[in-house]
Amino acid sequence: MLGTSTRRSPVGTEATVPDSTAAENRDVFRLAPTLDTAVLQTLADRLEFRGTDDGYARLSQAYFADLPFQSRGRILALGCGTGIEVRALRRAADPDVAIVGVDHSPALIEIARRLTAEEGLDANVSYEVGDAHDLRYGDGDFDIVTLHTLISHVDDPLQVLHDARRVVRPGGTVAVFDGDYASLTFGYPDHALAKTIEEDLRKVMVANPRVMRDMPRLLHEAGLELVDGVGALYANVGSGRFWANAVEAYSVVLSRSGLLPPDVVEDWRAFQSQSVRDGTFFGASNYYTYLARRPE
């Protein structure tokens, strides 16, 4: 799930979305604590929608089957957002396994608490507002730490991995799932403009679009041992429920970013929507999962 740190991000109650004067801080999820209600709801809806897409849910949660759940174990889910993956973990793990979800957005944490309770999945589940770069837990407090669509958004990926290593017990597992958003692409007849739109779209979606390509090295530098790494392409060809929804959600943010004229964004959005109706849609990105362990 998406979530970030505000450790080096400007915080102000009047902020809505990143503007053209804050190029280093365009990642809308990084700015979640400062977003206006409408944009934050758009992001929350996108996070929840992803859990309803069967193909994405299977791909993104496939590693759950390889997690070493232990009786009375503890799981820390960093960047939990609205809690969609926490709820999936609750369904996958034994009832005596405790799950703690952490996100830097108080509003998303409140949504996570509400939805988890409404679905009757709040037993042995708790949520906290926190910074993934500077966790307020002791050494070895958890058996498993998950970074689920988090690492592409954080200020300092290596620091986050260092802290994940610290709070997982020796022999425990750190799981990282995220998109390789440098590969994100959509069909569009003007290829030059398509490239520009995709580059600007990445700027408002993620801070670290290539980080999953660096993950084997970063895990090693953080003192974690790589156990397994797998990649998969998730594409919508012809029809496009998952990526068409992404177009609708992120075009709202992109049109308000100042990176492109709003009419250019609207033309692109309208083309993607028409492509879905025509059965000619194309949208795709690579995703990777890494499982690592803290040496004993």
Side-chain angles (χ1 to χ4, degrees):
M1 183 56 56
L2 291 154
T4 64
S5 164
T6 58
R7 187 164 59 106
R8 289 184 289 278
S9 299
V11 176
T13 57
E14 299 303 315
T16 55
V17 297
D19 60 31
S20 57
T21 64
E24 74 283 2
N25 247 337
R26 293 192 185 278
D27 182 335
V28 70
F29 290 99
R30 185 180 282 187
L31 293 174
T34 70
L35 298 179
D36 66 34
T37 301
V39 175
L40 186 66
Q41 189 60 55
T42 296
L43 298 186
D45 290 345
R46 172 62 183 168
L47 295 178
E48 285 298 303
F49 172 86
R50 297 190 317 183
T52 72
D53 184 87
D54 290 340
Y56 178 80
R58 285 194 302 271
L59 181 153
S60 64
Q61 297 170 16
Y63 72 91
F64 287 8
D66 297 319
L67 293 178
F69 296 125
Q70 296 188 355
S71 178
R72 300 188 182 278
R74 300 187 73 209
I75 302 173
L76 177 63
L78 296 177
C80 67
T82 59
I84 188 73
E85 271 75 37
V86 169
R87 277 133 53 203
L89 281 168
R90 177 71 288 156
R91 295 185 184 98
D94 290 340
D96 65 355
V97 174
I99 305 173
V100 180
V102 172
D103 198 276
H104 75 148
S105 168
L108 291 180
I109 286 292
E110 284 305 309
I111 293 172
R113 287 174 177 148
R114 175 175 57 80
L115 293 177
T116 303
E118 288 177 357
E119 294 183 22
L121 296 169
D122 52 339
N124 227 3
V125 172
S126 60
Y127 290 101
E128 300 177 5
V129 177
D131 183 345
H133 298 82
D134 187 19
L135 297 171
R136 295 171 292 186
Y137 304 107
D139 186 274
D141 273 357
F142 295 90
D143 301 285
I144 298 169
V145 177
T146 66
L147 290 74
H148 198 100
T149 62
L150 167 70
I151 206 73
S152 63
H153 302 282
V154 298
D155 294 339
D156 188 338
L158 183 57
Q159 175 57 37
V160 170
L161 291 172
H162 270 298
D163 230 29
R165 180 195 182 280
R166 180 183 63 80
V167 301
V168 77
R169 64 169 175 78
T173 297
V174 174
V176 183
F177 171 83
D178 218 320
D180 173 47
Y181 292 108
S183 68
L184 176 64
T185 188
F186 295 89
Y188 197 61
D190 185 334
H191 291 180
L193 182 56
K195 182 178 179 181
T196 298
I197 292 172
E198 289 167 5
E199 288 174 350
D200 288 341
L201 186 66
R202 281 190 284 271
K203 290 175 184 177
V204 300
M205 285 179 60
V206 293
N208 311 305
R210 300 176 65 90
V211 68
M212 295 305 276
R213 306 178 190 191
D214 298 328
M215 196 52 54
R217 172 179 56 82
L218 292 174
L219 290 169
H220 177 74
E221 291 179 2
L224 290 161
E225 296 177 350
L226 179 62
V227 175
D228 193 22
V230 296
L233 171 70
Y234 192 43
N236 293 156
V237 180
S239 59
R241 184 175 184 268
F242 182 80
W243 288 116
N245 177 269
V247 168
E248 295 297 327
Y250 295 120
S251 62
V252 173
V253 180
L254 183 57
S255 66
R256 297 176 62 176
S257 70
L259 289 167
L260 290 167
D263 62 321
V264 171
V265 178
E266 174 55 24
D267 287 347
W268 177 79
R269 186 208 64 78
F271 175 86
Q272 304 302 334
S273 180
Q274 186 63 49
S275 295
V276 173
R277 292 191 293 272
D278 292 343
T280 60
F281 181 80
F282 181 92
S285 181
N286 294 323
Y287 285 87
Y288 293 90
T289 301
Y290 293 94
L291 298 180
R293 67 187 293 274
R294 176 177 171 176
E296 297 190 54

